[in-house]
Amino acid sequence: MAVTRAMRSAAAHSLTDAQPVPFWLEDPGRPGAHPALAGDERCDLLVVGGGYSGLWTALLAKEREPGRDVVLIEGKEIGWAASGRNGGFCAASLTHGLGNGLARWPDELPRLEKLGAANLDAIEAAVARYSLDCDFERTGEIDVATEPHQLDELHEMYEEAVGLGFEGLELLDADAMRAEVDSPTFLGGLWDRRGVAMLHPAKLAWGLKRACLELGVRIYEHTPGLDLVSAGPGMVVRTPYGRIRARRVALGTNVFPSLVRRVRAYTVPVYDYALMTEPLSPAQLAAIGWKNRQGLGDSANQFHYFRITADHRILWGGYDAIYKYGGKVRAEYDDRPATYLKLAEHFFRCFPQLEGLRFSHAWGGAIDTCSRFSAFFGTAHGGKVAYAAGYTGLGVGATRFGADVMLDLLAGERTERTELEMVRKKPLPFPPEPVAWAGIGITKWALARADANGGRRNLWLKAMDRAGLGFDS
């Protein structure tokens, strides 16, 4: 549907009061930052990075071995980056969805799905055990079809999943879909009832910080790791005002340049953007239904994700995936009004009955994208350092699994996790500039063309599929 001048004007008006900051990070319960490290430290395990990846690693390390001396350093504040800016979808999938898993690890997929379900169960158990006040709701997620070819694809996905023995999936026709959430654009859906939880992402990070501190983890914020060098049986990480000598190091820096230089070619920073509405009135809620509070995502290549918050706002994000030449992570990229306007237009196309609703917040952030869409793992410095990265926007849940993998690798243990092909092999690295910028740009154009042409993939996308390269919005 073409965007009219009136539609664009209404979308622009809805954004005039939107604050260009992440909604989640404005919560009044945000804890104060811990002081930076000054001087020298020693520990058994140093965790670099204070997002989900690092926090889960520190917490699980103490659960495995309560006497282990663990230090965590964070360059800014706990949860300020992707862990405090995402949509709050905590998925069981370790493979960025069933389709990506089938394409890349068909033989391992049943095991990966089992491990992913167990990982989500363990997150739910940790929320209860540590009293993590993060609005955790295991309401599931619906993949929504808004075009006829997407409906066919959802039916095919359902049949494949059932054939592999997966449970908890429900196909919805147009009437059933609109009974769950009412939009004139919805043609059907596939509801995964147990495989996704909704939560407040920043509160999860802050709760994990508190749990780590209670178990004895020493946390230093405003303490970036500047370099990593081997020192006899251990490692040394230098920080602005000190250094840390550790027997083992776990790197959870994700989108930021790895302290292991050879890892950097495997990820690129892609910027994703989101809007948050003001709270809906009872009449507005009644107009769209949405009583079961599932997360939703449409099924296009350039897709939107959207969900209801605890105070009845709608988060609406996705679609644009912006890669800046050179692959830099910069604060000025977090704000992009052109994308906010596009997202607002799409929102009111989806929910015309909410005309007049306004957005209170608009923000962006960088995702650590890799060419296979899901995390990769490895070690360096003779097994004294482990890393996990490349979650590609699905790290809220999968980072806990990645933390377990890193701890297994650092211990030199052969486990069900470390034997996975997904863990043993890496994705293809991205090429250097200007090839990376050109290739990503062409791929985005081709994905948009496929969305506009009944999902038909052109020769470029087919070649990318054969090469094992991908790009996701």
Side-chain angles (χ1 to χ4, degrees):
M1 185 173 78
V3 177
T4 66
R5 182 176 299 178
M7 291 166 64
R8 177 152 294 188
S9 175
H13 183 72
S14 73
L15 291 163
T16 54
D17 295 326
Q19 298 299 305
V21 293
F23 167 80
W24 310 113
L25 295 178
E26 285 208 315
D27 193 278
R30 182 174 184 170
H34 277 226
L37 172 68
D40 291 353
E41 268 279 19
R42 289 179 177 269
C43 60
D44 296 323
L45 174 67
L46 172 62
V47 179
V48 181
Y52 299 137
S53 187
L55 291 163
W56 281 118
T57 302
L59 186 71
L60 293 176
K62 293 295 282 187
E63 287 184 348
R64 289 186 181 199
E65 190 179 332
R68 182 165 14 192
D69 188 18
V70 180
V71 168
L72 183 149
I73 61 172
E74 161 55 39
K76 292 195 177 180
E77 294 186 18
I78 296 295
W80 76 276
S83 298
R85 296 166 185 264
N86 62 79
F89 288 66
C90 184
S93 177
L94 305 175
T95 63
H96 210 279
L98 184 62
N100 194 49
L102 281 168
R104 300 184 187 278
W105 304 285
D107 296 334
E108 283 188 347
L109 190 59
R111 189 188 310 174
L112 287 165
E113 290 291 313
K114 183 196 75 173
L115 289 168
N119 183 63
L120 183 56
D121 288 344
I123 292 172
E124 186 171 23
V127 167
R129 182 166 63 256
Y130 294 108
S131 300
L132 305 181
D133 179 18
C134 61
D135 302 337
F136 188 95
E137 301 179 275
R138 200 157 175 176
T139 50
E141 180 182 15
I142 303 177
D143 289 330
V144 181
T146 58
E147 298 288 344
H149 75 271
Q150 296 170 9
L151 196 58
D152 294 338
E153 290 165 1
L154 291 181
H155 279 261
E156 291 173 11
M157 188 67 66
Y158 175 78
E159 295 298 332
E160 285 185 292
V162 170
L164 290 168
F166 296 167
E167 299 177 351
L169 300 178
E170 181 181 349
L171 271 176
L172 305 175
D173 62 18
D175 290 340
M177 180 66 240
R178 295 186 64 174
E180 293 296 329
V181 184
D182 191 13
S183 166
T185 68
F186 293 172
L187 304 180
L190 179 59
W191 186 359
D192 180 354
R193 287 181 169 270
R194 291 287 298 164
V196 184
M198 300 293 107
L199 51 77
H200 186 303
K203 283 185 176 181
L204 175 62
W206 300 334
L208 289 171
K209 173 184 176 180
R210 174 182 56 77
C212 285
L213 291 168
E214 290 172 353
L215 293 182
V217 177
R218 301 196 301 287
I219 295 177
Y220 297 97
E221 296 176 76
H222 299 290
T223 303
L226 301 179
D227 57 43
L228 172 73
V229 295
S230 185
M235 302 296 300
V236 172
V237 171
R238 184 172 59 87
T239 71
Y241 308 122
R243 62 179 184 171
I244 307 166
R245 186 179 295 271
R247 290 180 58 250
R248 298 289 183 267
V249 177
L251 300 178
T253 50
N254 296 303
V255 77
F256 298 99
S258 176
L259 292 179
V260 177
R261 185 172 292 273
R262 69 172 183 268
V263 176
R264 296 179 185 180
Y266 290 99
T267 62
V268 294
V270 172
Y271 277 80
D272 180 54
Y273 298 89
L275 307 177
M276 185 71 84
T277 73
E278 63 190 359
L280 273 66
S281 68
Q284 288 169 325
L285 281 170
I288 60 172
W290 215 341
K291 300 181 185 67
N292 290 315
R293 303 181 57 80
Q294 315 93 328
L296 280 81
D298 62 50
S299 302
N301 291 309
Q302 292 184 285
F303 64 91
H304 307 87
Y305 53 87
F306 39 118
R307 46 80 53 99
I308 288 273
T309 66
D311 60 347
H312 307 305
R313 301 168 184 264
I314 297 177
L315 180 146
W316 178 267
Y319 192 80
D320 268 350
I322 304 300
Y323 174 75
K324 297 289 188 175
Y325 184 91
K328 302 296 184 183
V329 179
R330 293 179 176 167
E332 59 262 35
Y333 299 158
D334 292 344
D335 188 35
R336 196 167 193 269
T339 293
Y340 302 153
L341 181 60
K342 190 182 300 183
L343 286 172
E345 292 166 359
H346 296 175
F347 177 88
F348 290 111
R349 186 184 306 167
C350 180
F351 294 121
Q353 64 269 54
L354 297 181
E355 181 181 356
L357 189 67
R358 297 175 69 82
F359 296 100
S360 62
H361 296 76
W363 71 92
I367 293 171
D368 59 325
T369 297
C370 76
S371 63
R372 72 183 191 191
F373 295 177
S374 50
F376 62 90
F377 314 89
T379 60
H381 293 279
K384 293 184 291 185
V385 176
Y387 55 83
Y391 291 95
T392 317
L394 223 67
V396 179
T399 44
R400 186 193 175 280
F401 175 82
D404 264 329
V405 171
M406 283 196 286
L407 292 171
D408 290 348
L409 294 172
L410 289 173
E413 296 175 351
R414 293 183 62 180
T415 67
E416 184 178 15
R417 289 180 288 265
T418 62
E419 293 298 298
L420 292 166
E421 180 185 354
M422 177 190 184
V423 171
R424 291 185 291 104
K425 296 183 178 180
K426 289 184 175 57
L428 290 172
F430 288 94
E433 298 292 15
V435 179
W437 180 82
I440 290 171
I442 293 169
T443 302
K444 283 188 60 181
W445 170 83
L447 289 170
R449 292 273 302 192
D451 284 338
N453 289 287
R456 291 184 291 275
R457 299 173 76 81
N458 64 14
L459 292 176
W460 175 266
L461 291 179
K462 290 176 181 177
M464 293 297 99
D465 293 340
R466 286 193 297 272
L469 287 165
F471 190 73
D472 195 32
S473 74

